[in-house]
């Protein structure tokens, strides 16, 4: 009976699908926790794409992709919002914290990518560690992260292009009254940009790298210009003095330390680009040498650039600075002058008929969508042209980030297609271009559909929570893979450590965000810290590593990945409730897709021999790479 079931597709007819649904519990038990191997990921699974991707990238290509992918998205989209709402001038520290968290995660990615240079990134890493279901849930979140972040960046491109051309963003978008707020501004420019880049990345990865290197080199010159002008024209007092001290707190940390971490969670969007670099591992000539330099090196360089750019913006103007344009306007009989507010401004000003107060047009200089360009709009001594130059340069940089991110999202979907949890049509690599054309085209159209109507703020928080979740999972996976060999060691001690350390980190985060300030809060935080360090030290002393990386491994194991786990949980705690609600809905949708489709497609593939080795065969392949240490 089992052979008959495997011999026919679960989707060949309605009756076959009904039988498959009836066997869902059995199939979940068989497939959800089944793990692949590095050997299978690089051989039989990769062969499902048909043609191979060409190995023609070097470390400088990866660094170029990292710079182009990260710099165009982060500073130009999220700096203004994080500074104005969360961190103030300390947004510089927010970028540093987010960069540290990204670097630790980059170490984890690098260990996997060197050992298993395939295009699947975190999906493949979790599939060989925690099994198919965890990999699918992570892969679904990753693909959605890329789609949403690319849509957000495309809409920001419209804002900067409008600034460069001297037009308001509203002239480039039109409003549909029947749609809910946040989804009612139609942006056709963003759609056109996404579709054009989709055509470019379908053509060739090598040519895309050449174009990216040229664009990135010019983009770095633009970044240097922004930093120099910001420090030259700015005033150090803007780091500590707000524009309106009566209404806004002063100091370098106007919203406190918690505001810095809230800002770090927001700007974490800017580090998605390094993850895209890891998906190019299958196209790298010398993975052992090139991937560590390309992935970790690009994160370090970009973190420095982000901090310098954020500092230049903070020096240019106070975090709460409004721009006032004064024109005389008589006061009406009601005694109230109408105040037009675009962004942040003061409440309506109450006046009497005898008060000769000018009409004030308030608009936030720290524009949440076009931060640096708006900073020069108020200049009256011949520097207003800088706003147009910055708008043009930022538009240019955003294009490079879009190209790199869309390269990454296509490769994720391609490898997910190889595993049969989504249709294998997505896995096909074109024999002429050697690129995943099907996945690239599908996700390009999907991204354009999101970009056409969704507001930037709706996109940013959902992207941050998904990215932090994926990085958290990869950090857990690298520890698990070092200390557990399937079929050869008991996973319980490692699983117990990962669960207890995560729970301690969650408790610390909840106390940090919700406990009332005082000695009691400080004592509870201290206890959590002692417990976390004690658990970590005990695990290191009592549980031996069973797997030594042959070429490159995360240093100071298990401390650095554990710190990454803590930082990701801590930054997750800084996000708002609607972000978790959206994340929960999407994760539930992903689970539903897995139960109704993916597990059955995977079960069919296992039965017809097109899938991977069964779990019982895994230790045989793994023994060569497993070395048991003495305690």
């Amino acid at each position: 009976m089992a052979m008959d079931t495997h011999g026919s597709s679960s989707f060949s007819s309605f009756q076959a699908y009904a039988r498959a649904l009836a066997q869902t519990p059995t199939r979940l038990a068989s497939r959800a926790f089944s793990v692949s191997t590095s050997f299978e990921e690089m051989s039989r699974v990769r062969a499902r794409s048909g043609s191979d991707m060409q190995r023609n990238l070097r470390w400088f290509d990866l660094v170029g992709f990292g710079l182009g992918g990260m710099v165009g998205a982060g500073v130009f989209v999220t700096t203004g919002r994080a500074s104005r709402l969360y961190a103030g001038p300390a947004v510089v520290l927010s970028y540093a914290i987010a960069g540290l968290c990204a670097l630790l995660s980059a170490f984890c990615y690098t260990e996997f990518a060197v050992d298993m240079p395939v295009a699947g990134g975190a999906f493949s890493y979790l599939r060989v560690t925690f099994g198919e279901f965890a990999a699918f849930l992570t892969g679904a979140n990753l693909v959605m992260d890329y789609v949403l972040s690319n849509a957000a960046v495309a809409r920001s491109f419209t804002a900067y292009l409008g600034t460069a051309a001297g037009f308001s963003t509203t002239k480039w978008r039109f409003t549909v009254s029947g749609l809910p707020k946040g989804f009612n501004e139609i942006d056709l420019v963003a759609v056109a940009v996404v579709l054009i880049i989709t055509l470019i990345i379908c053509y060739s990865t090598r040519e895309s790298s050449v174009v990216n290197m040229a664009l990135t080199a010019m983009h770095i010159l633009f970044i240097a210009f922004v930093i120099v002008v910001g420090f030259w024209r700015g005033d150090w007092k803007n780091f500590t003095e707000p524009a309106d001290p009566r209404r806004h707190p002063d100091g370098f940390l106007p919203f406190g330390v918690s505001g810095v971490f809230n800002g770090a969670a927001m700007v974490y969007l800017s580090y998605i680009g390094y993850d895209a670099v890891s998906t190019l591992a299958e196209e790298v000539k010398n993975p052992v040498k090139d991937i560590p330099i390309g992935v970790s090196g690009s994160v370090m360089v970009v973190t420095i650039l982000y901090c310098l750019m954020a500092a230049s913006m903070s020096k240019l103007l106070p975090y709460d600075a409004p721009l006032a344009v004064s024109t005389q306007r008589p006061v009406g009989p009601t005694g109230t002058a109408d105040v037009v507010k675009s962004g942040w401004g003061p409440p309506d000003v109450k006046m009497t008929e005898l008060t000769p107060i000018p009409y004030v047009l308030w608009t936030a200089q720290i524009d949440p969508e076009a931060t640096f360009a708006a900073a020069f709009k108020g200049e009256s001594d011949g520097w207003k042209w800088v706003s147009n130059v910055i708008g043009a340069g930022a538009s240019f940089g955003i294009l490079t980030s879009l190209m790199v991110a869309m390269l990454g999202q296509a490769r994720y979907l391609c490898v997910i297609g190889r595993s049969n949890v989504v249709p294998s049509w997505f896995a096909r690599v074109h024999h002429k271009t050697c690129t995943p054309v099907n996945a690239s085209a599908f996700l390009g159209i999907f991204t354009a559909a999101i970009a056409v109507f969704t507001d930037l703020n709706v996109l940013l928080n959902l992207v941050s929570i998904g990215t932090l979740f994926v990085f958290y999972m990869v950090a857990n996976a690298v520890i698990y893979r070092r200390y557990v060999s399937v079929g050869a060691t008991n996973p319980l001690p490692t699983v117990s450590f990962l669960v207890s350390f995560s729970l301690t980190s969650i408790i610390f985060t909840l106390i940090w965000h919700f406990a009332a300030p005082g000695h009691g809060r400080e004592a509870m935080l201290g206890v959590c810290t002692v417990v976390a360090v004690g658990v970590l030290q005990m695990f290191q002393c009592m549980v031996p590593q069973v797997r030594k990386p042959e070429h490159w491994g995360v240093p100071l194991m298990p401390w650095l990945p554990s710190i990454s786990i803590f930082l990701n949980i801590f930054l997750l705690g800084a996000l708002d409730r609607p972000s978790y609600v959206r994340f929960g809905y999407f994760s539930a949708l992903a689970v539903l897709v897995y139960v109704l489709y993916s597990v059955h497609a995977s079960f069919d593939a296992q039965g017809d021999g097109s899938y991977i080795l069964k779990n019982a065969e895994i230790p045989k392949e793994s023994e060569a790479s497993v070395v048991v240490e003495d305690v």
Side-chain angles (χ1 to χ4, degrees):
M1 181 68 68
M3 291 299 295
D4 294 339
T5 302
H6 277 164
S8 60
S9 170
S10 299
F11 309 98
S12 59
S13 66
F14 178 79
Q15 290 78 9
Y17 184 59
R19 288 194 300 269
L21 289 180
Q23 299 173 6
T24 296
T26 302
R27 295 186 174 193
L28 283 172
S30 171
R31 300 302 317 149
F33 298 102
S34 61
V35 295
S36 178
T37 68
S38 300
F39 175 77
E40 285 297 311
E41 290 292 320
M42 294 187 291
S43 56
R44 191 181 305 177
V45 174
R46 188 167 65 181
R48 292 183 58 82
S49 289
S51 302
D52 289 333
M53 300 181 191
Q54 291 184 350
R55 290 190 175 276
N56 50 21
L57 300 179
R58 299 302 304 270
W59 66 267
F60 46 84
D61 294 299
L62 298 183
V63 172
F65 276 127
L67 291 175
M70 286 185 276
V71 175
V75 172
F76 302 135
V77 177
T78 59
T79 304
R81 192 177 299 274
S83 176
R84 180 62 182 88
L85 300 180
Y86 296 116
V91 69
V92 178
L93 299 181
S94 296
Y95 272 109
I97 292 170
L100 173 62
C101 189
L103 182 61
L104 296 180
S105 296
F107 287 161
C108 300
Y109 270 80
T110 300
E111 177 170 327
F112 275 112
V114 171
D115 179 64
M116 187 173 57
V118 294
F123 174 81
S124 296
Y125 309 155
L126 294 179
R127 192 156 165 257
V128 301
T129 306
F130 296 137
E132 183 179 274
F133 175 72
F136 177 80
L137 186 61
T138 301
N141 275 286
L142 272 171
V143 172
M144 184 55 65
D145 282 352
Y146 273 100
V147 169
L148 294 180
S149 64
N150 290 339
V153 173
R155 289 182 69 90
S156 181
F157 170 81
T158 304
Y160 271 98
L161 185 63
T163 300
F167 294 107
S168 170
T169 304
T170 57
K171 295 183 180 296
W172 298 80
R173 299 170 180 165
F174 60 92
T175 303
V176 177
S177 57
L179 296 175
K181 185 177 181 181
F183 301 90
N184 59 344
E185 290 190 1
I186 306 302
D187 193 334
L188 296 181
V189 175
V191 173
V193 168
V194 170
L195 294 180
I196 291 172
I197 292 178
T198 299
L199 293 175
I200 294 173
I201 66 174
C202 285
Y203 178 67
S204 169
T205 303
R206 181 57 191 166
E207 277 65 29
S208 296
S209 176
V210 173
V211 173
N212 177 74
M213 290 290 284
L215 297 179
T216 300
M218 290 185 287
H219 190 202
I220 294 300
L221 293 177
F222 156 72
I223 292 173
F225 171 79
V226 171
I227 294 172
V228 170
V229 171
F231 279 100
W232 181 26
R233 296 290 300 174
D235 192 332
W236 288 111
K237 73 176 183 179
N238 291 331
F239 275 94
T240 55
E241 299 179 14
D244 186 359
R246 294 175 301 175
R247 301 183 63 242
H248 300 116
D250 58 6
F252 180 67
L253 299 168
F255 302 103
V257 176
S258 61
V260 173
F261 283 96
N262 291 338
M266 172 62 73
V267 303
Y268 210 77
L269 166 67
S270 49
Y271 292 95
I272 288 181
Y274 92 82
D275 181 56
V277 175
S278 72
T279 67
L280 299 170
E282 196 169 313
E283 298 160 87
V284 176
K285 281 187 176 181
N286 186 354
V288 174
K289 173 185 175 182
D290 296 335
I291 292 177
I293 298 175
V295 177
S296 301
S298 61
V299 172
M300 289 187 284
V301 172
V302 167
T303 300
I304 294 172
L305 291 176
Y306 280 167
C307 291
L308 290 175
M309 293 185 74
S312 71
M313 186 205 72
S314 298
K315 194 169 184 286
L316 272 173
L317 70 164
Y319 73 92
D320 65 334
L323 172 64
V325 181
S326 177
T327 59
Q328 292 293 328
R329 180 186 179 189
V331 179
T334 61
T336 303
D338 297 325
V339 175
V340 180
K341 292 183 288 184
S342 173
W344 303 279
D348 290 351
V349 181
K350 297 293 182 180
M351 297 173 287
T352 67
E353 288 188 65
L354 301 178
T355 309
I357 295 192
Y359 169 71
V360 181
L361 174 65
W362 289 89
T363 180
Q365 273 191 312
I366 298 188
D367 190 317
E369 294 192 35
T371 305
F372 292 93
F376 284 93
K377 283 185 177 180
E379 298 282 353
S380 58
D381 55 353
W383 281 85
K384 189 175 181 180
W385 61 272
V386 177
S387 174
N388 300 84
V389 173
I390 291 177
S395 302
F396 174 77
I398 284 172
L399 291 178
T400 64
S401 73
L402 271 176
M403 182 172 69
V404 175
M406 292 178 71
L407 280 167
Q409 70 180 13
R411 279 145 186 79
Y412 269 120
L413 187 58
C414 172
V415 174
I416 294 173
R418 291 175 181 173
S419 70
N420 293 288
V421 292
V422 298
S424 58
W425 179 83
F426 292 115
R428 305 307 297 176
V429 172
H430 196 275
H431 65 283
K432 290 185 178 180
T433 65
C434 297
T435 60
V437 172
N438 294 350
S440 299
F442 174 81
L443 290 178
I445 294 172
F446 190 23
T447 301
I450 299 294
V452 71
F453 64 87
T454 307
D455 180 72
L456 182 68
N457 192 41
V458 175
L459 296 171
L460 289 183
N461 283 343
L462 184 56
V463 170
S464 292
I465 192 171
T467 304
L468 290 167
F469 170 73
V470 171
F471 290 175
Y472 163 78
M473 290 294 293
V474 172
N476 279 273
V478 76
I479 295 177
Y480 187 90
R481 188 167 169 80
R482 284 280 198 102
Y483 288 88
V484 176
S485 176
V486 178
T489 59
N490 181 10
L492 185 59
T494 303
V495 172
S496 299
F497 161 71
L498 293 175
V499 171
S500 60
F501 188 84
S502 293
L503 286 177
T504 304
S505 300
I506 292 172
I507 294 172
F508 182 98
T509 301
L510 292 175
I511 294 173
W512 177 277
H513 289 290
F514 298 108
H519 294 296
R521 176 175 179 268
E522 295 174 359
M524 289 188 290
L525 292 175
V527 170
C528 287
T529 302
V530 171
V531 170
V533 173
V535 168
L536 182 53
Q537 184 64 53
M538 186 182 302
F539 174 74
Q540 184 182 24
C541 294
M542 298 182 64
V543 182
Q545 293 188 42
V546 299
R547 187 187 305 271
K548 285 290 189 178
E550 185 177 353
H551 303 292
W552 196 96
V554 179
L556 300 178
M557 178 67 69
W559 289 88
L560 292 189
S562 298
I563 294 173
S564 179
I565 290 173
F566 167 76
L567 288 174
N568 283 301
I569 290 176
F570 191 84
L571 293 177
L572 280 168
L575 298 176
D576 56 13
R577 182 177 178 274
S579 298
Y580 283 93
V581 172
R582 298 186 194 108
F583 179 74
Y585 280 132
F586 179 74
S587 295
L589 177 61
V591 172
L592 187 64
V593 171
Y594 183 79
V595 171
L596 296 181
Y597 172 81
S598 300
V599 69
H600 305 294
S602 172
F603 188 79
D604 291 343
Q606 178 192 19
D608 63 23
S610 64
Y611 203 73
I612 59 177
L613 296 174
K614 296 181 175 62
N615 287 345
E617 300 175 76
I618 291 175
K620 299 177 183 179
E621 184 272 333
S622 303
E623 287 174 358
S625 60
V626 174
V627 178
V628 179
E629 293 183 337
D630 294 330
V631 180

